Amino acid sequence: ITADRAIFGTDAWRLLQPMLGYPLVTSLLSYAYHAWVGLIYAGAIYFSFGAQDREVRARYFITFFTIWTVVGLALATGMASVGPCFVGPLLGYHEFDQLVAYLNAANEQHRVMVLPVQQELLAGYLTDARGLGQGIAAMPSMHVGLATLFALATWRINKLAGVLFTVFAAVIAVASVHLAYHYAVDGIVAAAVTIMTWAVAGPLAKRICCRSAASVQPTHPTGEAVAA
């Protein structure tokens, strides 16, 4: 919260509210935020079987597993925190009650899909529930991290896809704040770590692919290697 205010001069959601504070817009952003889940499966399937560029495929999976480990596990544990929608009921800090009240009011007009999920997460935390999909972690935002990865990877495949998924990543970053899941700094950190990981993964992917190509080099019946 302090970092957001230092960067933006106020809570980030207040800057977004004049542009996004319409129930229909909020509802559409909540659907987009839930559509993010599809990236986990669609990305794995496409880059396993659809991507023709082996270096891009290797680079995607190196980054994918690294950010899940670093962003989704190590940093999420080391920088354990709760987002705006949870900070009131869990910590008694009510600075974001106005945002939560708006989301509930918007839900009266158009469905805001994140609200039932937030209630389930809160209930699970309070009852110490364990299992897939349980647990609360605001910093960093895995939603923003994975959306950033998809944008970086698709630019290597197709420019139009790159543009579309860059826009999608921006939508996810904005929605994460507007829907009271995250502070803006959560997304900034996640995007920065993902971009750095992608940069490091480039040379690693190239090295892996070069070694792989050398290991399957065709040979003459005499046993001499043939240049591809």
Side-chain angles (χ1 to χ4, degrees):
I1 294 170
T2 303
D4 259 21
R5 291 174 178 174
I7 294 170
F8 301 103
T10 185
D11 296 316
W13 77 268
R14 296 185 184 277
L15 300 178
L16 297 172
Q17 192 67 7
M19 297 175 286
L20 307 179
Y22 303 92
L24 179 58
V25 174
T26 301
S27 176
L28 292 174
L29 286 174
S30 74
Y31 278 90
Y33 201 75
H34 273 256
W36 168 91
V37 177
L39 291 182
I40 300 173
Y41 305 102
I45 293 170
Y46 175 76
F47 285 99
S48 290
F49 305 108
Q52 299 301 312
D53 190 321
R54 296 174 67 249
E55 279 189 33
V56 172
R57 181 189 308 148
R59 192 174 187 180
Y60 174 85
F61 281 110
I62 291 170
T63 308
F64 179 84
F65 288 112
T66 301
I67 63 172
W68 269 112
T69 303
V70 175
V71 173
L73 180 61
L75 291 179
T77 302
M79 307 176 76
S81 57
V82 298
C85 61
F86 303 116
V87 76
L90 293 181
L91 302 179
Y93 191 80
H94 299 289
E95 292 290 321
F96 296 90
D97 286 359
Q98 187 179 348
L99 173 57
V100 174
Y102 162 75
L103 293 175
N104 282 288
N107 189 54
E108 296 295 322
Q109 299 184 46
H110 298 280
R111 186 185 182 196
V112 180
M113 291 185 68
V114 299
L115 294 180
V117 178
Q118 290 173 357
Q119 289 302 314
E120 289 175 11
L121 288 171
L122 179 59
Y125 182 88
L126 293 174
T127 59
D128 198 29
R130 307 297 175 90
L132 184 63
Q134 295 291 336
I136 297 172
M139 166 66 86
S141 169
M142 195 60 205
H143 269 73
V144 174
L146 188 58
T148 301
L149 169 59
F150 227 72
L152 292 168
T154 51
W155 270 108
R156 299 282 176 161
I157 303 295
N158 179 278
K159 287 186 178 180
L160 177 58
V163 170
L164 291 175
F165 281 104
T166 298
V167 171
F168 182 74
V171 168
I172 292 298
V174 167
S176 71
V177 175
H178 178 65
L179 298 173
Y181 265 124
H182 289 283
Y183 312 99
V185 71
D186 300 340
I188 293 171
V189 170
V193 173
T194 302
I195 292 169
M196 288 188 290
T197 304
W198 176 259
V200 172
L204 291 175
K206 182 175 290 188
R207 186 173 181 180
I208 289 169
C209 290
C210 287
R211 285 187 173 184
S212 178
S215 67
V216 297
Q217 210 172 36
T219 60
H220 275 311
T222 59
E224 296 178 359
V226 179

